[in-house]
Amino acid sequence: MFKEKLKYTIEIVLLIGLFLGYYYYINPSKEVIKPVGNIEENLKIYFIDVGQADSTLIYNNGEYSLIDAGNNKDGNKLIKYFKSLGINKFKYVITTHVHEDHIGGMDNIIREFDIEHFLMPDTYTDNMTYTEVLKELKKKNIIIETPNINDTFTMEEINFKVLSIGNDLENLNDSSIVLKANYKNTNYLFTGDATKEVEKKIMNQDIQSDLIKVSHHGSYDATGLDFLEKVNPKYAIISVEKDNDYHFPHDIVLNNLNKLNIKIYRTDLDGTIIASSDGDNIIFEKIKTDTNQK
Ligand SMILES: [Zn+2]
């Protein structure tokens, strides 16, 4: 009798062990801080690893928006990734500014997906990829919408506010569309490549955010300590290529982030980074990518 009980206990322990082993096998690198509810009800922000470039996908309640589309070579990769997520339409496609590392894959995106609104600053550049973007927009009869500072727009339960936009042809980085997104009790700051000049201008607005997409790939010309103190984020995302020619992210930016105990995620080290939120907590997931394997 005792022997049988012991055998039964051992079997149960083994089964639990197997289950836990399997669970951790299928969930290897998720940094879950606190579980959130049904993912369908949640906000998800994908900071896609596009090497030395930016591309951010935002999901809420079945709708998607996109901020920037990587370099020219990333176009097909992005299409494949978005199709694997079941995307066929974007509510907003936002081009923060017209540098190649932000609009490179945009012509592919315009060709492949339905786009309700296409937002871009009123500037131009003579690179080929910009001409391609204009050509594709024209083919699909998509109008370029240029927002003004303080304009707001919504996607499901997310409220976006334009904090900055410019039309300075001499300084395309500072013409970036800078956006703050609010989702329930959480806030997110998308900075494009705006520099400290823009930071100075928006310093006294409501810029507090839980998460910041660090401007200009971690360049020293942005992300000043006084600005960061005002934003007061818990998390920072740096979209950057491993061993890039510009030596991004610069030490001064990393030091500023560390001084304020801000948790840093980097696409060169972490791959694609997914931030999910139930409106109170933000959790992170990292997907290893091959972009940074040199
Ligand atoms: Zn850039």
Side-chain angles (χ1 to χ4, degrees):
M1 189 68 186
F2 174 74
K3 257 190 180 171
E4 249 176 47
K5 249 191 180 170
L6 183 69
K7 195 177 151 227
Y8 184 65
T9 310
I10 289 172
E11 273 172 3
I12 296 232
V13 168
L14 276 175
L15 268 173
I16 292 172
L18 267 174
F19 173 77
L20 284 177
Y22 178 68
Y23 179 80
Y24 286 111
Y25 172 71
I26 57 167
N27 295 285
S29 69
K30 285 185 183 175
E31 268 189 42
V32 176
I33 297 158
K34 195 178 170 192
V36 288
N38 184 345
I39 215 77
E40 289 301 319
E41 295 162 7
N42 286 344
L43 168 77
K44 277 188 138 203
I45 306 176
Y46 302 68
F47 298 92
I48 301 162
D49 174 21
V50 279
Q52 190 51 46
D54 266 20
S55 187
T56 307
L57 175 72
I58 303 172
Y59 169 86
N60 184 225
N61 293 345
E63 294 242 53
Y64 287 93
S65 286
L66 178 69
I67 305 176
D68 292 333
N71 283 303
N72 207 23
K73 64 179 169 61
D74 299 312
N76 286 326
K77 190 178 107 178
L78 288 174
I79 288 174
K80 219 169 131 194
Y81 187 49
F82 296 155
K83 291 208 164 160
S84 79
L85 295 171
I87 300 173
N88 46 41
K89 187 198 139 201
F90 293 105
K91 176 140 191 194
Y92 290 94
V93 171
I94 299 146
T95 293
T96 60
H97 64 296
V98 296
H99 278 149
E100 206 261 333
D101 58 326
H102 297 254
I103 61 163
M106 206 53 101
D107 51 339
N108 306 63
I109 299 295
I110 298 163
R111 209 176 300 135
E112 287 292 327
F113 300 95
D114 287 340
I115 296 170
E116 225 174 293
H117 298 278
F118 187 88
L119 273 54
M120 190 160 76
D122 184 17
T123 57
Y124 66 85
T125 177
D126 54 11
N127 67 34
M128 259 298 284
T129 188
Y130 177 70
T131 316
E132 287 294 318
V133 168
L134 294 186
K135 219 164 78 185
E136 293 301 328
L137 285 170
K138 205 172 171 196
K139 260 192 222 165
K140 289 187 79 172
N141 278 324
I142 298 171
I143 301 159
I144 300 171
E145 299 174 44
T146 300
N148 294 309
I149 292 172
N150 289 332
D151 276 1
T152 56
F153 54 96
T154 61
M155 185 188 87
E156 289 295 308
E157 294 174 278
I158 308 170
N159 298 305
F160 291 93
K161 187 178 181 189
V162 178
L163 296 181
S164 183
I165 181 170
N167 56 6
D168 185 354
L169 299 182
E170 300 297 314
N171 193 341
L172 293 175
N173 285 341
D174 279 351
S175 297
S176 288
I177 296 177
V178 177
L179 285 175
K180 181 172 169 174
N182 166 265
Y183 176 67
K184 297 178 181 175
N185 295 317
T186 60
N187 292 290
Y188 308 82
L189 191 61
F190 303 101
T191 53
D193 279 357
T195 71
K196 286 176 182 168
E197 288 305 309
V198 171
E199 291 175 1
K200 256 189 248 163
K201 283 185 194 159
I202 64 173
M203 190 79 97
N204 292 320
Q205 294 191 45
D206 175 20
I207 52 175
Q208 189 284 318
S209 300
D210 303 278
L211 180 153
I212 183 170
K213 196 291 294 176
V214 171
S215 190
H216 203 192
H217 320 281
S219 167
Y220 73 91
D221 64 3
T223 324
L225 190 60
D226 47 351
F227 178 72
L228 263 187
E229 277 172 342
K230 270 286 186 77
V231 178
N232 194 23
K234 294 185 204 78
Y235 311 104
I237 312 283
I238 305 176
S239 188
V240 72
E241 183 186 36
K242 201 173 188 176
D243 303 326
N244 63 80
D245 298 340
Y246 311 95
H247 306 290
F248 293 153
H250 291 144
D251 282 346
I252 187 165
V253 171
L254 294 176
N255 288 341
N256 286 347
L257 293 164
N258 286 327
K259 236 179 253 173
L260 300 177
N261 284 321
I262 299 162
K263 168 88 180 147
I264 304 167
Y265 291 94
R266 296 168 49 163
T267 57
D268 59 339
L269 304 177
D270 300 319
T272 291
I273 299 146
I274 306 173
S276 305
S277 179
D278 59 355
D280 287 312
N281 307 290
I282 305 172
I283 60 168
F284 291 85
E285 200 179 316
K286 307 170 197 171
I287 301 175
K288 276 277 165 225
T289 38
D290 58 5
T291 308
N292 292 299
Q293 314 288 318
K294 284 200 169 174

